[in-house]
Amino acid sequence: MTYQHICTSSHCDCGISRRDWLRIAAISGAAATPLLRAGDAFAQKFKGDDVPVRIGYLAITDATPFFVAHSRKLFEAEGLQTEKPRLFRSWAQLIEAFIAGQVNVVHLLSPTTLSVRYGSKFGAKVVAWNHMSGSAITVAPNINSVVDLAGTTFAIPFWYSIHNILIQQVLRKNGLTPVSKPKGTALGAKEVNLVIVPPAEMVAALASKSVSGFIVADPFNAVAETMGVGKVARFLGDIWKDHACCLVTLSERDIAERPEWAQRVTTAIVKAQLWTRDHMGETAELMSKDGANKYTPHPLPVLQKVFDLKDFDQYRAKGVLQHPEWNQRRIDFQPYPFPSYTQELVKAMQGTLMEGNVDFIRELDPAFAAKDLVDDRFVKQALSQVGGLKAFGHADDFSRKEVIAA
């Protein structure tokens, strides 16, 4: 199985070009009409809240709550019909299917939700977080510190990702300059060339020494470790405390036309997150390629490395964690979309090197985005049914201060 990506660079040597992004932008405008009508026609077969849950996902641990909710029939417990989750091979394909109405529940990278709503001008709404942390910086065995990345090529999964934001902050803190230069271009002594590489190709790129490292969601960091071709240098949860990577995203139209359906979807996902926190080992099993539903192509030992809380202790012992007092898990779950996070995310994106159409982010007001992008009515109601944020090990408070320590 291979993964693809959206790359807006004119010189990227990665297989998918500007065409995908332009296609998405076109779909969100007038060109979307035939596809949206097709989605409407499908929805009209059902009455109101009877519309089936049609999940779209990429086979990464970001989608964990969807797999758990589907496998354990938590959607059905809320009175919903469901279809088999639909696997996509690229963010481009997933976004396109979501905009066209072919799927109606998706997980999108947190910066991507901003791009879809304000860049492509499609009515995407965040109703909950999907998970926290779950990503890492993995480097070649000969890389012993961040400064060793100077003059090398480093892989990121997507320009509009928390991964791109945080690796640039880490590089700058260590006196290095992130750049995006055509393949074969000479690099300065303190430059690090960022390139887009599909997540599933990152381990091979590291093994072949095409890149000095990568930053991505698990389980690809665990794959590199298991194969012995890379080592984790830093977990992103150790850089931005309790940050969101992917977000549960619905269309604004579905929320307006069937709010009870949106509530039931959100409630099922919140319950799935809570179950996952207490059943990490079982979660690894149901997600593996040997599981009954074969949600991902990943072997059980790799997924166990991601979800095993005891395995994570080794990184504390090795000194990989710079902030062990944060008591982070390798991947964790908590559904509330804190406004402070969205505001800080917008600010961070405004100071991050990205390619493609970035005008919308330069002009976006962080406080406005926090209110406009997110609809937290449903997740608050869902939390009230499971014991609030305290059930997830957090203070029962819908406000917080963001902590970032690159």
Side-chain angles (χ1 to χ4, degrees):
M1 178 174 292
T2 59
Y3 292 79
Q4 296 173 308
H5 64 285
I6 306 169
C7 180
T8 52
S9 169
S10 59
H11 57 257
C12 180
D13 186 30
C14 53
I16 288 192
S17 67
R18 183 186 300 271
R19 181 182 305 170
D20 294 285
W21 189 249
L22 293 177
R23 185 175 65 204
I24 292 169
I27 287 174
S28 64
T33 301
L35 290 171
L36 291 175
R37 284 176 178 169
D40 287 338
F42 183 93
Q44 287 172 2
K45 296 179 182 179
F46 305 90
K47 295 180 179 179
D49 297 336
D50 290 338
V51 171
V53 174
R54 288 172 281 136
I55 292 170
Y57 74 96
L58 268 64
I60 48 181
T61 52
D62 301 39
T64 297
F66 293 169
F67 302 143
V68 171
H70 180 262
S71 174
R72 295 186 58 77
K73 298 189 180 300
L74 298 182
F75 293 116
E76 286 80 358
E78 297 300 322
L80 297 171
Q81 301 180 50
T82 61
E83 295 182 357
K84 182 179 179 180
R86 183 176 172 186
L87 171 65
F88 291 88
R89 296 192 176 190
S90 73
W91 290 112
Q93 293 174 357
L94 179 59
I95 294 168
E96 182 177 352
F98 174 58
I99 290 175
Q102 296 168 1
V103 293
N104 53 23
V105 179
V106 296
H107 64 106
L108 295 181
L109 295 161
S110 50
T112 300
T113 61
L114 293 161
S115 178
V116 171
R117 183 165 181 84
Y118 304 113
S120 296
K121 301 186 184 304
F122 176 76
K125 276 281 191 179
V126 172
V127 295
W129 283 6
N130 211 38
H131 70 292
M132 300 188 304
S133 304
S135 299
I137 298 171
T138 294
V139 297
N142 65 305
I143 301 294
N144 296 312
S145 68
V146 174
V147 295
D148 291 340
L149 296 174
T152 71
T153 296
F154 190 91
I156 61 175
F158 194 54
W159 290 113
Y160 294 97
S161 68
I162 194 70
H163 312 90
N164 182 38
I165 292 170
L166 292 186
I167 189 59
Q168 292 192 33
Q169 291 188 10
V170 170
L171 292 175
R172 292 190 178 102
K173 183 178 180 181
N174 285 272
L176 304 180
T177 302
V179 298
S180 176
K181 293 185 175 182
K183 185 177 181 180
T185 302
L187 297 177
K190 293 189 175 183
E191 290 184 337
V192 178
N193 197 33
L194 301 180
V195 296
I196 307 295
V197 175
E201 296 178 16
M202 285 185 172
V203 176
L206 185 62
S208 67
K209 300 182 180 181
S210 298
V211 298
S212 59
F214 57 75
I215 182 170
V216 74
D218 267 319
F220 298 107
N221 306 288
V223 171
E225 291 178 291
T226 302
M227 292 179 60
V229 300
K231 60 186 179 183
V232 170
R234 193 86 182 270
F235 290 99
L236 301 202
D238 193 50
I239 299 173
W240 189 333
K241 184 180 180 181
D242 292 337
H243 71 276
C245 180
C246 276
L247 311 177
V248 180
T249 308
L250 308 180
S251 76
E252 199 166 32
R253 182 180 59 184
D254 278 339
I255 291 173
E257 293 181 356
R258 45 188 71 90
E260 181 58 33
W261 179 88
Q263 180 64 69
R264 294 177 183 180
V265 168
T266 306
T267 299
I269 292 172
V270 168
K271 291 180 178 179
Q273 292 176 348
L274 188 58
W275 185 89
T276 300
R277 293 192 87 244
D278 295 329
H279 301 83
M280 300 290 262
E282 291 176 62
T283 298
E285 291 178 9
L286 73 85
M287 289 176 59
S288 77
K289 67 178 183 179
D290 298 318
N293 290 293
K294 302 184 184 300
Y295 292 119
T296 77
H298 309 301
L300 180 57
V302 168
L303 291 168
Q304 286 175 325
K305 192 169 185 62
V306 177
F307 288 96
D308 188 337
L309 302 181
K310 293 182 180 179
D311 182 82
F312 196 56
D313 289 340
Q314 67 169 297
Y315 301 100
R316 295 185 179 90
K318 292 179 180 179
V320 172
L321 301 182
Q322 295 187 18
H323 301 283
E325 71 278 6
W326 289 359
N327 295 315
Q328 297 281 293
R329 293 182 175 187
R330 184 163 183 155
I331 186 171
D332 206 350
F333 302 89
Q334 179 288 118
Y336 186 70
F338 289 99
S340 57
Y341 173 79
T342 303
Q343 292 187 45
E344 196 63 37
L345 180 68
V346 173
K347 294 176 185 177
M349 289 176 69
Q350 291 172 338
T352 299
L353 170 67
M354 295 184 293
E355 296 200 359
N357 174 24
V358 296
D359 291 341
F360 76 91
I361 196 65
R362 308 300 182 209
E363 301 169 357
L364 188 59
D365 176 66
F368 167 78
K371 294 180 179 179
D372 182 68
L373 176 71
V374 177
D375 188 336
D376 67 0
R377 293 175 294 162
F378 309 112
V379 71
K380 283 183 174 179
Q381 176 60 31
L383 281 166
S384 71
Q385 298 182 35
V386 299
L389 284 172
K390 289 182 179 178
F392 290 87
H394 295 270
D396 215 6
D397 188 350
F398 294 129
S399 64
R400 74 175 195 182
K401 182 178 179 180
E402 300 304 312
V403 180
I404 305 174

